[in-house]
Every structure is written in C-alpha cells, then in structure tokens.
C-alpha cells in the first residue's frame, strides 16, 4: 500500500474566512458587516442570524437572499453544527443541501487545521447518486462559500478525468462532491485519499440503493476514518428497513430528523390525473404546451427510447425542447439545463435518472407521460415544480397500460388521487 510519503507534495493551506488576495488588491470587494444584513425576528421562524454562523458564510447567505431557515434547516443545523451525526428524512426542494453545506463550511472555518496538508486530501466529502445532483450541490456550495476561501471540487463521470484531476492537483481542495463511480476511479488511481475526511455526507441514500450504488458506497465509507472519528450526515426521502440498516452502519449516535418531506413538496403542487387512451396522450400534451399557462414544462417518461421518440415528435411539432437521459453526454445535459433555466427552451423531456438533479425554480408544469414504476419517483418528479415558494401543476396520464400503478403511488402519498377525463379542448386536433 502506498504511504503518505508517496502522495502529492504537501503545501500550506490557504487562509479561510475571506476573499482572495487578488480581489483585495484589485479593490473589487467592498467591506461587509453583518449589520448590513437585517432580518427581523419572526415568531415560529429561525433566522440564520440565530445560528451564530461565521460572518463570511452570512455574507454568502445575504447575497442569496436567504432570511429564515426551512424546516429541515431549522431542525438539523443546531444539531449538526455541534458535531453530532444526523439522519434526515428529506428530498430535494426542502433546503437540505444548504443545511449540510452550511454545517460543513462553518466547521471548516471554525476549526482550521493549522497544519500542512497533502494535495488530494479533502476535509469534507459529499456523495450523491446522479451527476446533475452533484453539480447542483457544487454550485450551491460555491455560492455559499463565495467569501470563505474554502475550495470545492466536483468529480463526476462523463466529464474529462484529467481536467478534474488538474483541479485537485492545482490547489488544496477542502470539499469534494462526487458520484460513487467516479470517486472510486480517483481512489483507485491514488489521486484522492479519504483518510483525512472530517465530515461525510451521504445524500439521497434511497436513490443510491435503488441504483445499485451501495456496494460502491460501502467501499468509499471504509476508506474514511471510523464513524466515531468523523461526522456523518445521511439524507433519504424514505426510511425503509434497508436505509435504516445502512444508517446504523455508517452513523454514530445519530439524531433523527423527520419533516415529512413528501407532504412539504406536494403542498405547493396541484395534482391532476387524467384518464385517456395511450394514443391520446401526445395530442393532449401538444395542446397543453400551446396554452399560455404552460410556460416551462418538464415531461417525464420511463425509458430512454420513450424519451427520445417523444423529444423528436415535439421538436418536429415546432416546440423549443431539450432532452435529458443517461445516454446523453454530460456536457450536453449541462447545457440543456442551462437553456431551461434561461428560458431558451420551453419543454424538457427526461427520464428519472435526471429527476432529482433538476433545480429550476420557474417550472410551471410537470407531466408524467408515463406513470413511474417506482412510486417514490412520482414524488420526486412532481417536486420539480412548486419550488421556491411558487405553486405548480402536476399532470399524470393514466392509460390502459399503466393505470395499475396508481394504487401504489396513492399508498405512498397517503391520499387518493382523483382521476378525471381531460378537458375536451385539449384533445382536439390542432388547427395551426
């Protein structure tokens, strides 16, 4: 086994808690103090001011316009910031990403190592199941860490290995966000070492279980310090027995946080289920997309071939659309998401592989062209709309080939979904 003497050279760590010297010399950063960020106390709300966060983190929070904690943030931050392990029942859209990022940043800033460090030895590691989710986590981390001096690296498959390696070798990296497969690539080539990880975050553990990543994640976790010598934060949308067993293996005397995330996500989404024949679905979808209310729409199908055919039919019908599935190169997937956020495309057709990595606040409608075979995917799909305080509409097609999936979805939701016939005007043939 390779020892420390064989690793990349040691260098002194950069300073935390401020902007870069280049910015200071250029005079591009105005002095900032917490007094400039006034948020009134409000009954029943937890302010970020109340958490005694490092001022450089508060500066980033102020820039983002965050004032009060979401329920998961208010519940988990006081526990996690004391260094305790925590298991959170939470899904995307509830604010849990900021919760674990703030925990990491505040710990790194308040506990600098004061020592020389090896290149390729992060202090914090975040594992997530999909490329899009990892990229979103890294983007959020960069926003929150804007004034801290903390360095972040992203390791995902489908992108150039050497370019990602150059980021690790150019400077000491504090936080690594990665998908399991690409992380193991870096570990296998001895380009990354996890024996100095102080905080480990396992995001969307249920999705990693569904996608078959758990054996890989177990190898990664074994490469980090013992669970009693690191802080572990685990998040999952469900607490099935398999997840509970994994949480016991990976965490130490963890606090359990449950904010019933499915209900949080669904409260802001109006759910509609329409009964129609399979051959009526495309006509309905085309007419829906022509309504002024459908300003930004994500359409989900179950398989890559279904997504591809649907995308081509919509494009041939004159709609500005994009496609997102596992067989699309990563740089194209990234560009497509940027186009959706910018409004350059109106419709995104996607499989569930991308369902948990799409963070676009302005999505007006989610359409389940096919009902998902896994009920949990229904919750995650409709969570793409109704975000950031807005309301959204979820439309699901129940046809003869997939209506049998509805009872399992209703069982997970804990409520009955009303199935109705679609408005006749949305089934009329287009006259233009």
């Amino acid at each position: 086994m390779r020892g420390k003497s064989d690793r990349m050279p040691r260098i002194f760590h950069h300073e935390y808690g401020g902007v870069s010297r280049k910015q200071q010399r250029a005079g591009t950063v105005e002095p900032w103090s917490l007094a400039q960020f006034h948020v009134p106390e409000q009954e029943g709300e937890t302010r970020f001011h109340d958490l005694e966060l490092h001022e450089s983190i508060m500066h980033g929070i102020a820039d983002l316009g965050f004032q009060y904690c979401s329920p998961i943030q208010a519940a988990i931050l006081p526990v996690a910031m004391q260094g305790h392990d925590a298991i959170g029942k939470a899904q995307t859209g509830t604010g849990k990403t900021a919760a674990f990022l703030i925990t990491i940043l505040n710990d790194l800033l308040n506990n600098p190592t004061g020592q020389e460090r090896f290149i390729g030895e992060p202090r914090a590691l975040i594992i997530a199941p999909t490329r899009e989710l990892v990229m979103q986590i890294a983007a959020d981390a960069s926003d929150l860490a804007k004034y801290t001096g903390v360095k972040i690296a992203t390791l995902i498959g489908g992108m150039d290995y050497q370019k990602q390696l150059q980021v690790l070798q150019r400077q000491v990296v504090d936080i690594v966000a990665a998908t399991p497969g690409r992380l193991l690539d870096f570990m296998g080539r001895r380009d990354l070492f996890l024996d100095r990880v102080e905080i480990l975050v396992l995001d969307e553990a249920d999705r990693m279980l569904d996608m078959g990543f758990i054996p890989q994640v177990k190898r990664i976790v074994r490469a980090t310090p013992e669970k009693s010598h690191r802080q572990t934060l685990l998040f999952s949308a469900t607490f099935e027995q398999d997840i509970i067993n994994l949480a016991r293996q990976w965490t130490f005397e963890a606090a359990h946080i449950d904010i019933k995330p499915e209900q949080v996500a669904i409260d802001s989404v109006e759910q509609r289920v329409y009964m129609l024949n399979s051959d009526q679905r495309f006509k309905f979808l085309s007419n829906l997309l022509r309504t002024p209310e459908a300003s930004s729409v994500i359409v989900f199908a179950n398989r890559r071939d279904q997504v591809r055919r649907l995308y081509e039919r919509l494009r041939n019908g004159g709609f500005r659309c994009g496609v997102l599935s596992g067989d699309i190169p990563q740089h194209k997937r990234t560009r497509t998401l940027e186009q959706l956020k910018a409004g350059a495309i109106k419709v995104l057709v996607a499989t569930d592989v991308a369902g948990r990595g799409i963070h676009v606040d302005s999505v007006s409608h989610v359409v389940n062209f096919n009902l998902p075979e896994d009920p949990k995917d229904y919750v995650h799909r409709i969570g793409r709309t109704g975000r950031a305080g807005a309301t959204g509409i979820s439309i699901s097609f129940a046809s003869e080939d997939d209506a049998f999936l509805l009872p399992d979805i209703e069982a997970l939701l804990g409520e009955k979904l009303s199935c109705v016939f679609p408005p006749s005007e949305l089934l009329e043939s287009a006259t233009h």
Side-chain angles (χ1 to χ4, degrees):
M1 180 174 293
R2 201 170 168 190
K4 285 189 178 297
S5 60
D6 302 312
R7 300 187 187 183
M8 292 295 291
R10 290 185 175 190
I11 62 174
F12 284 100
H13 197 280
H14 50 267
E15 295 178 3
Y16 284 143
V19 297
S20 69
R21 291 188 178 91
K22 182 178 179 182
Q23 288 174 309
Q24 292 172 343
R25 288 196 301 268
T28 56
V29 179
E30 293 292 328
W32 188 87
S33 71
L34 195 55
Q36 297 171 244
F37 182 32
H38 176 69
V39 177
E41 294 186 18
Q42 190 167 318
E43 187 176 354
E45 297 282 357
T46 300
R47 302 178 305 165
F48 290 99
H49 289 68
D50 302 327
L51 300 173
E52 299 183 359
L53 297 172
H54 196 281
E55 186 169 290
S56 61
I57 301 173
M58 289 298 295
H59 193 178
I61 289 173
D63 281 3
L64 292 168
F66 296 163
Q67 295 186 329
Y68 303 97
C69 296
S70 70
I72 186 68
Q73 292 165 355
I76 210 166
L77 277 169
V79 174
M81 285 172 53
Q82 292 181 16
H84 299 296
D85 287 8
I87 302 170
K89 185 177 180 182
Q91 63 190 49
T92 56
T94 58
K96 49 96 178 175
T97 302
F100 64 69
L101 288 174
I102 289 171
T103 298
I104 292 171
L105 292 171
N106 203 64
D107 185 78
L108 297 185
L109 294 172
N110 287 334
N111 299 286
T113 62
Q115 300 174 350
E116 294 175 313
R117 286 174 53 201
F118 286 101
I119 286 175
E121 285 189 347
R123 297 182 65 192
L125 173 65
I126 304 164
I127 309 172
T130 65
R131 303 168 187 174
E132 283 77 16
L133 184 54
V134 169
M135 293 174 68
Q136 184 64 49
I137 290 169
D140 293 344
S142 295
D143 288 340
L144 287 166
K146 185 177 179 181
Y147 303 104
T148 65
V150 171
K151 304 300 181 184
I152 302 144
T154 305
L155 307 181
I156 57 174
M159 301 291 277
D160 189 288
Y161 184 97
Q162 288 301 318
K163 288 184 179 178
Q164 295 177 11
L165 179 60
Q166 287 171 10
V167 173
L168 288 179
Q169 293 183 344
R170 189 168 52 238
Q171 60 188 357
V172 168
V173 171
D174 304 293
I175 302 172
V176 166
T179 51
R182 179 48 62 97
L183 183 60
L184 284 173
D185 289 343
F186 272 81
M187 293 167 57
R189 298 187 191 189
R190 298 293 190 266
D191 290 325
L192 188 76
F193 297 85
L194 304 182
D195 54 332
R196 290 292 184 269
V197 166
E198 301 164 33
I199 304 177
L200 172 65
V201 177
L202 303 163
D203 196 15
E204 300 204 353
D206 58 326
R207 186 66 166 174
M208 288 194 279
L209 180 67
D210 293 341
M211 296 174 72
F213 287 148
I214 296 306
Q216 295 179 329
V217 175
K218 285 182 176 179
R219 288 175 56 194
I220 293 166
V221 174
R222 284 198 297 267
T224 67
E226 291 291 327
K227 62 182 181 181
S228 58
H229 289 74
R230 66 168 194 261
Q231 181 180 16
T232 306
L233 305 176
L234 183 146
F235 296 90
S236 179
T238 58
F239 277 170
E240 298 172 358
Q241 190 58 47
D242 286 342
I243 297 299
I244 293 172
N245 293 340
L246 291 172
R248 287 172 179 164
Q249 291 179 39
W250 294 338
T251 61
F252 179 76
E253 299 181 353
H256 289 250
I257 310 295
D258 184 352
I259 60 161
K260 305 191 184 307
E262 284 85 5
Q263 191 61 41
V264 170
I266 290 168
D267 276 345
S268 60
V269 180
E270 178 186 344
Q271 300 174 76
R272 303 174 187 173
V273 181
Y274 290 125
M275 297 181 294
L276 32 63
N277 297 327
S278 294
D279 57 2
Q280 294 176 314
R281 289 186 293 195
F282 185 77
K283 185 181 294 183
F284 181 102
L285 177 61
S286 298
N287 289 329
L288 171 70
L289 295 177
R290 291 188 175 95
T291 63
E293 294 81 15
S295 58
S296 179
V297 182
I298 300 178
V299 183
F300 282 102
N302 291 345
R303 301 194 313 267
R304 295 176 183 178
D305 59 324
Q306 294 170 329
V307 164
R308 174 59 62 179
R309 285 198 300 270
L310 187 53
Y311 162 71
E312 290 175 351
R313 290 184 71 183
L314 289 171
R315 187 178 60 177
N316 292 337
F319 294 103
R320 292 180 291 113
C321 57
V323 61
L324 213 63
S325 63
D327 58 341
I328 305 295
Q330 186 60 45
H331 68 279
K332 290 185 178 180
R333 292 160 69 171
T334 302
R335 185 169 67 246
T336 298
L337 281 177
E338 291 172 350
Q339 290 174 329
L340 182 67
K341 292 178 181 180
I345 59 175
K346 178 179 180 177
V347 188
L348 176 64
V349 190
T351 59
D352 288 300
V353 72
R356 301 194 185 193
I358 302 174
H359 296 252
V360 183
D361 292 340
S362 59
V363 172
S364 62
H365 291 67
V366 164
V367 177
N368 291 309
F369 197 81
N370 311 110
L371 288 174
E373 296 173 359
D374 186 339
K376 290 180 292 185
D377 286 330
Y378 176 87
V379 175
H380 289 287
R381 287 180 181 187
I382 71 173
R384 301 312 96 203
T385 186
R387 299 172 66 87
T391 56
I393 296 173
S394 161
I395 293 176
S396 300
F397 299 156
S399 304
E400 64 275 9
D401 56 351
D402 59 3
F404 69 92
L405 296 167
L406 279 172
D408 287 342
I409 294 173
E410 292 171 335
L412 177 63
L413 298 176
E415 64 178 275
K416 188 78 173 175
L417 293 173
S418 177
C419 299
V420 299
F421 290 104
S424 57
E425 62 270 17
L426 290 181
L427 292 178
E428 295 175 355
S429 296
T431 58
H432 50 281

